[in-house]
Amino acid sequence: MKTRRIGDFNVGEVGLGCMNLSHAYGVPPSPELGKKLLLEAFDLGITHFDSAALYGFGRNEELVGPTLKPIRDQIMLASKCGMQGVDGMRVIDGRPETMRKTLEDSLRRLQTEVIDLYYLHRWDKKVPIEDSIGELSRMVEEGKVCAIGLSEVSANTLRKAHAVHPIAAVQTEYSLWTRNAEIEVLDACEELGAAFVAFSPLARGFLTDTDLDPANFAEKDIRRNMPRFQEPHFSNNAELLTEYRALAKEAGCTGAQLALGWLLAKRPYIHVIPGTTSLAHLRDDVAASEVELSQDIIERLEKLINRETISGPRYPAPTQAEIDTEEFAA
């Protein structure tokens, strides 16, 4: 697999978002299947594994850490603090003392002495970003964290954080149907030398060859509460898929590979971390590193799927209020 830089690490440009193995999309796979998928990912060339304290309220780290421990020195292990489960509820808390406890818990669950890339999962707007980054910088000084990342922040917040300590990576949702990063954050990453890590690069399964039916989503699938998967938005968006899949066929790749290949072609410092519970989909995703898209395909793809042709916001209003990313003018 081709590689790209994140801080001092050289990792495969296609990483693995590990959330799906414990969290968010209904009933997770068995631990045995999760372990098998993690090891298969490494065998396929993935060296960038992304977890978080929030995922499964600690269960994801408990799965990822011990499974990858035998190859720990051959991978970049990422996790996150600042948003975790408290009494069964998701809580955003960027206070230094909370972040410190989260780190110690994560190190124990991951069975490692150092986390290679440690993100502030969400900026807690009640806490100055400088205070949260200050605590992360102390973790670096102590040798418990190698590099600092931020998730779902604006360019302004990124610059404030970077003034306290260099930011190695910004992780934000980015795909053909979610283009907010193009407003300013991508340029800010280039300016500051930070990598950009695109999560949900397959539009939460929409930009694949799988025919999704929101009516069949599991009871606890987070997509049930996302406007783009609700009517009338979903039916409007689904009308784009016939032409989308035709473009993939013309490009000689699958729908997933088209979405990932587009992202990798956008900027040389973009990384993608699709998540999956399927070994077949995992192999499909990894093969995106071999996809070369023509400029004609890219232009037609961007004309087909963009913020004006997609129906519905990406999050419901309460969730949108929690994040700091720039928004397009209405």
Side-chain angles (χ1 to χ4, degrees), residues 128-143:
I129 189 65
E130 293 85 352
D131 291 358
S132 295
I133 298 303
E135 184 64 18
L136 286 168
S137 71
R138 287 184 282 276
M139 297 173 187
V140 174
E141 292 169 2
E142 295 165 7

Side-chain angles (χ1 to χ4, degrees), residues 9 17 28 39 87-88 105 162 180 183 205 213 215 219 224 266 270 279 297 328:
F9 296 93
L39 294 174
D87 297 329
D105 289 343
H162 192 79
N180 305 67
I183 300 172
D213 183 352
E219 181 182 353
R224 283 186 170 273
K266 292 296 287 183
I270 290 177
L279 291 170
I297 289 287
F328 289 101

Side-chain angles (χ1 to χ4, degrees), residues 91-232:
V91 174
I92 297 174
D93 188 343
R95 293 175 296 172
E97 59 270 27
T98 303
M99 294 167 57
R100 173 65 59 171
K101 182 181 185 305
T102 303
L103 170 70
E104 299 300 338
D105 289 343
S106 291
L107 290 170
R108 172 178 49 80
R109 289 191 293 255
L110 291 167
Q111 297 186 14
T112 187
E113 295 182 354
V114 59
I115 296 175
D116 299 321
L117 176 59
Y118 203 41
Y119 291 95
L120 184 65
H121 204 160
R122 289 290 184 275
W123 172 36
D124 181 350
K125 298 176 183 179
K126 300 184 298 297
V127 178
I129 189 65
E130 293 85 352
D131 291 358
S132 295
I133 298 303
E135 184 64 18
L136 286 168
S137 71
R138 287 184 282 276
M139 297 173 187
V140 174
E141 292 169 2
E142 295 165 7
K144 295 182 177 182
V145 167
C146 288
I148 296 173
L150 293 171
S151 178
E152 292 276 40
V153 296
S154 64
N156 182 53
T157 301
L158 169 58
R159 291 189 177 99
K160 288 181 179 180
H162 192 79
V164 177
H165 188 279
I167 301 300
V170 174
Q171 181 176 144
T172 292
E173 183 173 358
Y174 186 31
S175 68
L176 280 160
W177 84 347
T178 297
R179 310 284 277 276
N180 305 67
E182 296 175 357
I183 300 172
E184 193 173 353
V185 165
L186 283 174
D187 289 340
C189 285
E190 182 171 11
E191 169 195 329
L192 300 174
F196 183 93
V197 179
F199 78 77
S200 295
L202 301 178
R204 304 183 186 274
F206 180 76
L207 296 173
T208 68
D209 294 329
T210 301
D211 290 318
L212 298 179
D213 183 352
N216 295 330
F217 288 164
E219 181 182 353
K220 294 186 178 181
D221 192 316
I222 61 174
R223 293 174 293 185
R224 283 186 170 273
N225 293 319
M226 293 181 173
R228 290 176 183 173
F229 291 98
Q230 298 169 343
E231 295 299 344

Side-chain angles (χ1 to χ4, degrees), residues 202-326:
L202 301 178
R204 304 183 186 274
F206 180 76
L207 296 173
T208 68
D209 294 329
T210 301
D211 290 318
L212 298 179
D213 183 352
N216 295 330
F217 288 164
E219 181 182 353
K220 294 186 178 181
D221 192 316
I222 61 174
R223 293 174 293 185
R224 283 186 170 273
N225 293 319
M226 293 181 173
R228 290 176 183 173
F229 291 98
Q230 298 169 343
E231 295 299 344
H233 301 305
F234 184 77
S235 292
N236 293 335
N237 293 329
E239 292 179 1
L240 303 171
L241 289 175
T242 299
E243 189 173 347
Y244 176 78
R245 291 168 181 170
L247 278 172
K249 184 176 181 180
E250 184 178 341
C253 64
T254 66
Q257 290 164 3
L258 182 63
L260 297 175
W262 174 79
L263 278 165
L264 293 172
K266 292 296 287 183
R267 312 257 181 138
Y269 50 90
I270 290 177
H271 300 245
V272 294
I273 50 168
T276 185
T277 60
S278 162
L279 291 170
H281 292 169
L282 173 67
R283 298 181 188 110
D284 188 25
D285 295 343
V286 168
S289 185
E290 303 169 9
V291 170
E292 297 287 344
L293 299 179
S294 69
Q295 189 58 37
D296 176 64
I297 289 287
I298 290 173
E299 290 175 0
R300 289 157 62 195
L301 187 57
E302 292 181 344
K303 183 177 180 181
L304 175 66
I305 300 180
N306 57 65
R307 70 183 184 90
E308 295 180 351
T309 62
I310 287 295
S311 179
R314 66 171 174 140
Y315 285 137
T319 304
Q320 185 64 46
E322 295 177 343
I323 63 175
D324 180 49
T325 48
E326 289 92 353

